[in-house]
Amino acid sequence: MSDVSQDNDNERGKLFGGDFDIKRVLLEGRAFFALIAIIVIFSILSPVYFSTSNFLTMSSHVAIFGLLSLGMLLVILTGGIDLSVGSTLGLAGVFAGFLMQGVSFEILGVVFYPPVWVVVILTCGLGALVGAINGVLIAYFKVPAFVATLGLLYVARGVALLMTDGLTFNNLGGSPELGNTGFDWLGFNRLLGIPVGVLILAAVAIVGILLLARTPFGRWVYSTGGNARAAELSGVPVKRVQVLVYVISGICAAIAGLVLSSQLTSAGPTAGTTYELTAIAGVVIGGAALTGGRGNVRGTLLGAFVIGFLSDGLVIIGVSSYWQTVFTGAVIILAVLLNSIQYSGQKKQQASSDGKTTSPQPEGATERSPASGSTAGNAGTQS
Amino acid sequence: MNEHAVSQEEALGKVILSARNIAKSFGNVHALKAVNFDVHYGQVTTLFGENGAGKSTLMKILSGVMQPSSGEIVLEGEPVSFSSTTEAQRHGISIIHQELSLAPNLSVRDNVFMGREIVGKGGVDYAEESHQTRQLMEELDEPIDPLTPVEDLRLGQQQIVEIARALSVNSRILIMDEPTSALSASEVEVLFRVIRDLKSRGVSLVYISHHLEEALTITDHAVVLRDGRMTAYAARAEIDLEWIVRNMVGENFDLGSPPEGYAMGDAVLSIEGVTVPDASVPGRAVVDDMSLSVRAGEIVCIYGLMGAGRTELLESVAGRGGMVAGRVLLHGEDISRLSIAERIEKGLVLVPEDRQRDGLVPTMSVGENLSLASIGAFTKGLLTSRGRERHVVGDSISNVHIKTDGPAASIGSLSGGNQQKVVIGKMMATHPRVVLLDEPSRGIDIGAKAEVFRLLSEGAAQQGLAVVFSTSEVGECLSIAHRIVVMSRGRIAAEFGADATKEEIMAASGEAVVA
């Protein structure tokens, strides 16, 4: 046992000493450094960029992508993909707008105006339903995630358009007499000077961190994405996990839909078009592997901020929206490039450290086998 | 390539290809240690050895699939090195892998010319390809229409297509890795006729097989590998079956003996009439009406060749599915309908055969892998307790003696033996009553093997575990098992006590059928 701890120290020395260290930190913290770089560059280019009010405005934009990205992160961690989140966002906004207009029951001859908290719950329920359809198709009917969620992308968008006939709900304020005011509080208003949307993102992120790092479910998510077969044989309910991540992703999209329509004070059926791609980009820039099993909330949040701060910065300095698209694309490619460098680098490092520990081992191993047998025997008698 | 001035008579039996001091390591595992190996012109050289002896690795090196860590390959007196299979093919060396590498959706013709299409003026010259394919198939006495999709062919015929493909690149040296493992007796006859025909055409063959007697009928030379070393070499005339077995198995490294001195309990696990159909052959069963009962504290070894149905039996008992008939009883309770998770909860666990594919989560650390099956043990309310988890993981690491830098180390940094111990430790952490292990010693060195067996033996003796492990190495049957069950074609072919002999066991498995 004692020599094990010595090995440990040696290994630490190797990993954390030497000049390789800096490269490693730069590589692993790349989303963070990219964010710093973006802030510095745009602050130099534009006097208005570096100010609290601008940061808060940009953050409230980030909140939308951040919420989608967090849901997407769970899906990607299991090795899946959810292309339907943009449409779900739009559908959720329209559905909330529809509820805010009042639901009329013609048989009873009454119009029911649900309070905002009921709207929130029903809308999240709708998001969960879309996610559940995705999840069941993927986990139980073995439809490839890409195809299933692509289908839902169209269906959800279509339903949103049908619900409004292509029009937009502009009256989301409610009225005090009907008891359904407060939609503003989902994203438009500020609490302690911070946009509510940002606070919601923060809350969802904290839940996400706890969920992934501290619950059995989180462990199941990582193991399902790392090796579903091994996870299944270890008793992980892989199929239920797959359904649940899509449900969570759907709920996140619904929340984002609520926040966005509150921010805009209107709910249009085309809201959130192509947002799924931005959400995926955020997750990837945050260092998650599309093959599953690798990634975390912190990285994903940074990824969402990188994209948001970059595109808003480009707007502020007056770059054309066409160029913005080009820049965003370039950043995504760069991020994936760095991902593959990081993961292949890790493998190489492992291989080389294997090699290092191997070389003295063969002779040691043959000598050790009786010795290790005896220590093992001791341990056995002790227990 | 075709300018062989030497007449066949003169050349017959001359060494055409030889491997000199070939060594190959994968991380901590030394698959080959300074192996010498000769291939003789126009003759068959058979490579014998148990699983993990290094046969396939050596063949992959000779055919350019991988490169040796050291040593050299000499082809007709010239040192050569192949960086790819294409390069090896250019030198006339082709390999037919254990798993066929044909595209089932394409026709025989397209498979034969895959990657080397004959291009004429208007694109691919299909007429010429068909013509050549037909000629090849006729030479091989298997006149299959070149346009038949490969998926419509029987396995034996597919094998012939593979051979045709190898011949179409003018292979002078053909390596066959377990070509008969999936063939029926009549298909084997056809294959052997083709092999004799190839020999007469001056093709040199390297042959690998677990069916020893079968291989003896076709071979001219025998080479035996054991634990990555060449242990014996002889011409066919000088050897017999007994010689091969003796050299394959070697002096036994002591893998322990059946634990004694305690009373076994009642039957914990009862398998009754379990049947698993073969997914690829309708109407055939990989596990055919198997029944077996294991008592608390008992260690049962299931021995059988590849395809005997061991893996399918163990996986269906563990809940992987596939079972269409029969019952699995645990402590008398029928658990046939329960999920894997529920079976684990009830105390039945499986350590799968392929630890990379089914055992480990490569993206997780050693600790996370170890605790994966027992998360419930350190969860309070909604959240996991880090302290409790450290405790569970620490216990596992010391109980199964994993050599690691700590729970946070990456799983890829461990040697094969330690990875296997992680998989075993993970399942042991659930405090099972019945442990099924599918080839627990696969791809781990002899020291780790002994340690794994000692763990199992202690578990049975001290905790009354019922242990069922499968193996394809006969030496392992005669270690800690109280009872040896030999499986063949999905059924129990024979049962032995701990006093069985290797010859008896191998004969029962169909490995050394007395003709």
Side-chain angles (χ1 to χ4, degrees):
Chain A
M1 285 299 122
S2 59
D3 59 22
V4 171
S5 61
Q6 266 177 0
D7 282 1
N8 200 352
D9 292 344
N10 289 341
E11 204 50 40
R12 285 277 150 72
K14 248 182 268 167
L15 285 179
F16 294 101
D19 49 355
F20 188 66
D21 206 10
I22 297 149
K23 260 191 250 165
R24 210 176 123 102
V25 168
L26 277 176
L27 194 59
E28 285 186 357
R30 60 184 174 276
F32 180 69
F33 294 115
L35 186 60
I36 303 276
I38 286 168
I39 292 173
V40 169
I41 290 169
F42 285 112
S43 300
I44 294 168
L45 292 175
S46 159
V48 293
Y49 192 84
F50 197 87
S51 67
T52 314
S53 72
N54 184 46
F55 282 148
L56 288 175
T57 312
M58 291 195 298
S59 298
S60 66
H61 297 160
V62 169
I64 307 298
F65 298 129
L67 285 166
L68 294 180
S69 287
L70 289 176
M72 187 69 75
L73 170 68
L74 290 182
V75 172
I76 285 178
L77 280 176
T78 64
I81 194 100
D82 188 350
L83 298 179
S84 68
V85 291
S87 298
T88 309
L89 179 152
L91 177 63
V94 165
F95 183 68
F98 167 77
L99 293 176
M100 291 305 290
Q101 311 306 308
V103 189
S104 64
F105 294 96
E106 281 174 20
I107 311 159
L108 301 174
V110 293
V111 180
F112 174 59
Y113 291 92
V116 168
W117 64 269
V118 175
V119 172
V120 169
I121 288 173
L122 288 176
T123 308
C124 289
L126 179 70
L129 176 71
V130 174
I133 297 172
N134 275 328
V136 169
L137 283 174
I138 291 156
Y140 291 96
F141 292 94
K142 306 280 169 219
V143 181
F146 192 95
V147 179
T149 59
L150 182 66
L152 263 291
L153 176 152
Y154 284 106
V155 172
R157 184 66 70 198
V159 171
L161 288 163
L162 282 171
M163 279 180 74
T164 63
D165 246 345
L167 301 175
T168 299
F169 292 114
N170 288 314
N171 176 22
L172 300 175
S175 62
E177 2 358 328
L178 297 170
N180 63 350
T181 53
F183 201 80
D184 291 351
W185 280 103
L186 297 175
F188 182 78
N189 284 3
R190 295 188 175 209
L191 196 66
L192 306 172
I194 301 168
V196 175
V198 177
L199 295 175
I200 292 175
L201 175 67
V204 171
I206 289 168
V207 172
I209 287 171
L210 281 175
L211 194 68
L212 281 178
R214 296 295 305 279
T215 65
F217 177 74
R219 211 57 79 76
W220 294 345
V221 167
Y222 280 108
S223 60
T224 299
N227 184 350
R229 293 174 66 100
E232 193 191 7
L233 275 181
S234 303
V236 173
V238 170
K239 290 197 162 85
R240 262 192 289 152
V241 170
Q242 279 176 331
V243 173
L244 265 174
V245 292
Y246 287 97
V247 168
I248 295 172
S249 175
I251 295 174
C252 283
I255 297 173
L258 289 168
V259 173
L260 183 64
S261 33
S262 173
Q263 283 177 356
L264 301 174
T265 63
S266 72
T270 55
T273 307
T274 73
Y275 279 21
E276 59 278 346
L277 302 180
T278 317
I280 295 169
V283 176
V284 169
I285 291 172
L290 281 176
T291 45
R294 289 182 208 275
N296 57 41
V297 170
R298 190 186 56 210
T300 299
L301 278 184
L302 281 169
F305 273 95
V306 165
I307 291 195
F309 278 28
L310 174 70
S311 55
D312 281 5
L314 292 169
V315 173
I316 288 169
I317 63 166
V319 171
S320 87
S321 65
Y322 306 148
W323 274 111
Q324 289 172 35
T325 323
V326 173
F327 274 117
T328 314
V331 167
I332 293 168
I333 292 172
L334 192 67
V336 179
L337 208 63
L338 289 172
N339 274 3
S340 49
I341 290 171
Q342 183 184 1
Y343 294 137
S344 68
Q346 275 178 0
K347 267 181 210 148
K348 264 180 216 155
Q349 206 188 322
Q350 260 169 31
S352 72
S353 79
D354 272 5
K356 274 171 205 160
T357 49
T358 313
S359 40
Q361 236 172 15
E363 303 106 51
T366 42
E367 282 166 27
R368 205 166 33 209
S369 53
S372 76
S374 71
T375 52
N378 290 341
T381 48
Q382 273 164 19
S383 64
Chain B
M1 237 190 267
N2 297 323
E3 300 161 21
H4 286 295
V6 220
S7 80
Q8 278 205 13
E9 288 287 306
E10 270 175 60
L12 195 68
K14 220 182 79 180
V15 173
I16 176 166
L17 175 77
S18 62
R20 293 276 151 263
N21 291 314
I22 295 282
K24 177 78 185 172
S25 332
F26 303 97
N28 290 344
V29 181
H30 300 273
L32 289 175
K33 302 157 193 160
V35 169
N36 293 306
F37 180 72
D38 291 334
V39 180
H40 301 262
Y41 180 80
Q43 294 187 329
V44 178
T45 308
T46 303
L47 198 51
F48 295 99
E50 297 193 315
N51 280 343
K55 300 178 305 255
S56 292
T57 310
L58 179 57
M59 290 310 107
K60 282 178 181 160
I61 287 171
L62 289 185
S63 59
V65 177
M66 30 173 98
Q67 283 69 50
S69 306
S70 64
E72 63 171 356
I73 302 170
V74 181
L75 180 65
E76 297 181 309
E78 299 284 318
V80 285
S81 74
F82 312 127
S83 59
S84 70
T85 46
T86 341
E87 209 175 325
Q89 266 178 12
R90 262 210 306 282
H91 286 91
I93 304 173
S94 288
I95 184 165
I96 297 175
H97 290 284
Q98 208 164 333
E99 292 90 22
L100 295 179
S101 53
L102 299 171
N105 56 329
L106 297 182
S107 69
V108 171
R109 175 197 68 196
D110 294 346
N111 268 289
V112 167
F113 287 95
M114 201 193 299
R116 306 173 295 106
E117 288 77 8
I118 301 175
V119 183
K121 275 181 198 151
V124 177
D125 188 347
Y126 288 116
E128 177 61 22
E129 285 192 7
S130 296
H131 176 69
Q132 292 194 18
T133 307
R134 185 166 287 119
Q135 228 168 17
L136 279 167
M137 297 314 287
E138 268 161 21
E139 279 174 36
L140 293 171
D141 253 339
E142 195 76 16
I144 305 166
D145 182 52
L147 293 181
T148 320
V150 161
E151 59 199 345
D152 291 351
L153 300 178
R154 280 177 291 111
L155 265 175
Q157 293 177 309
Q158 295 188 8
Q159 200 101 51
I160 307 273
V161 174
E162 282 261 16
I163 294 171
R165 181 158 78 180
L167 292 180
S168 76
V169 291
N170 289 319
S171 296
R172 295 177 292 155
I173 300 168
L174 191 55
I175 301 170
M176 297 184 176
D177 193 350
E178 296 247 20
T180 60
S181 57
L183 299 191
S184 68
S186 60
E187 287 172 331
V188 171
E189 270 315 303
V190 173
L191 179 71
F192 280 9
R193 201 193 59 236
V194 169
I195 289 178
R196 286 191 198 99
D197 183 46
L198 291 174
K199 279 168 62 175
S200 70
R201 293 206 269 152
V203 174
S204 316
L205 292 113
V206 181
Y207 190 84
I208 297 181
S209 180
H210 270 122
H211 294 264
L212 309 182
E213 291 235 333
E214 207 177 83
L216 273 180
T217 63
I218 195 79
T219 197
D220 300 297
H221 302 270
V223 174
V224 184
L225 281 185
R226 189 171 72 227
D227 288 329
R229 293 180 201 282
M230 193 186 96
T231 51
Y233 162 77
R236 170 68 185 96
E238 302 159 20
I239 59 166
D240 57 9
L241 187 67
E242 199 267 322
W243 178 90
I244 297 172
V245 173
R246 185 160 30 91
N247 283 295
M248 258 171 70
V249 179
E251 313 311 321
N252 254 340
F253 185 94
D254 189 15
L255 289 173
S257 54
E260 286 172 354
Y262 60 96
M264 282 182 204
D266 296 331
V268 195
L269 175 72
S270 299
I271 302 164
E272 295 175 357
V274 166
T275 302
V276 179
D278 189 331
S280 51
V281 186
R284 210 187 135 233
V286 264
V287 180
D288 193 358
D289 197 18
M290 269 280 293
S291 296
L292 181 69
S293 157
V294 188
R295 299 164 65 185
E298 187 182 23
I299 303 177
V300 176
C301 166
I302 299 183
Y303 178 79
L305 295 179
M306 221 179 82
R310 294 166 299 162
T311 299
E312 291 80 2
L313 173 72
L314 294 180
E315 287 197 345
S316 65
V317 170
R320 206 13 145 4
M323 204 169 109
V324 290
R327 298 198 302 164
V328 179
L329 303 179
L330 189 68
H331 295 291
E333 180 193 353
D334 189 352
I335 58 164
S336 322
R337 306 213 153 270
L338 299 188
S339 69
I340 296 175
E342 288 164 325
R343 293 184 205 210
I344 292 173
E345 185 104 331
K346 297 223 177 267
L348 174 84
V349 299
L350 169 70
V351 175
E353 176 186 19
D354 187 334
R355 63 176 167 272
Q356 301 299 345
R357 197 187 58 190
D358 297 329
L360 299 170
V361 181
T363 50
M364 293 172 103
S365 67
V366 171
E368 286 169 331
N369 267 289
L370 273 170
S371 65
L372 184 59
S374 48
I375 300 176
F378 53 88
T379 305
K380 280 183 195 152
L382 283 176
L383 300 185
T384 55
S385 150
R386 283 182 185 168
R388 284 286 307 150
E389 177 175 11
R390 258 197 301 278
H391 196 69
V392 168
V393 168
D395 279 357
S396 293
I397 289 178
S398 63
N399 284 345
V400 295
H401 312 296
I402 298 164
K403 291 188 192 75
T404 168
D405 295 341
S410 108
I411 197 77
S413 68
L414 300 189
S415 67
N418 278 302
Q419 288 186 350
Q420 183 69 330
K421 285 192 237 165
V422 169
V423 183
I424 295 175
K426 171 179 74 176
M427 297 327 292
M428 290 305 214
T430 65
H431 302 292
R433 303 311 307 153
V434 179
V435 186
L436 312 172
L437 303 100
D438 197 2
E439 296 243 23
S441 62
R442 193 174 114 157
I444 64 178
D445 63 45
I446 194 91
K449 229 180 250 192
E451 224 175 319
V452 165
F453 280 168
R454 195 184 40 70
L455 277 170
L456 297 177
S457 159
E458 277 174 12
Q462 291 164 13
Q463 301 161 32
L465 274 184
V467 177
V468 180
F469 73 93
S470 76
T471 180
S472 51
E473 289 182 38
V474 70
E476 290 179 9
C477 296
L478 300 171
S479 55
I480 56 166
H482 297 109
R483 189 147 58 99
I484 298 149
V485 173
V486 180
M487 263 185 95
S488 172
R489 291 173 198 279
R491 288 167 176 275
I492 295 181
E495 260 193 71
F496 299 100
D499 54 352
T501 65
K502 284 169 190 163
E503 287 74 15
E504 277 176 346
I505 296 170
M506 287 169 101
S509 74
E511 188 158 6
V513 196
V514 183

